[in-house]
């Protein structure tokens, strides 16, 4: 599997082989929020219904499940 990384500001997204789905996270206003802006109040968020987010034991790390249609 070729490793790909995507970064915007404090958010880094990278592909992994497996994820932990034990602790699903709630959506905020229908969106998966990856990070909240500290100053402006904006959020890095995904509105797609085919994406879910799960918390992990590692602080600041979450897993995203992105399902393809």
């Amino acid at each position: 599997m070729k490793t790909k990384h995507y970064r915007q500001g404090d958010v880094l997204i990278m592909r992994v082989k497996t994820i932990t789905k034990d602790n699903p996270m709630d959506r905020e206003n229908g969106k998966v929020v990856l990070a909240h802006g500290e100053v402006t109040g904006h959020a890095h968020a995904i509105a797609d219904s085919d994406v879910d987010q799960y918390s992990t034991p590692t602080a600041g790390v979450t897993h995203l499940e992105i399902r393809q249609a």
Side-chain angles (χ1 to χ4, degrees):
M1 174 173 57
K2 186 176 179 179
T3 302
K4 291 187 177 184
H5 298 87
Y6 303 92
R7 176 180 288 282
Q8 182 181 18
D10 292 337
V11 176
L12 170 67
I13 297 175
M14 54 189 273
R15 176 178 263 186
V16 296
K17 290 183 180 183
T18 60
I19 65 171
T20 302
K21 296 185 186 181
D22 295 335
N23 300 304
M25 296 174 67
D26 292 331
R27 289 176 172 257
E28 295 181 29
N29 297 318
K31 298 176 184 175
V32 171
V33 176
L34 305 176
H36 290 278
E38 294 179 16
V39 177
T40 63
H42 76 284
H44 296 273
I46 300 171
D48 195 308
S49 62
D50 288 331
V51 176
D52 287 312
Q53 185 177 29
Y54 303 90
S55 64
T56 70
T58 306
V61 175
T62 63
H63 286 158
L64 293 177
E65 178 183 30
I66 304 169
R67 297 176 296 281
Q68 296 179 343

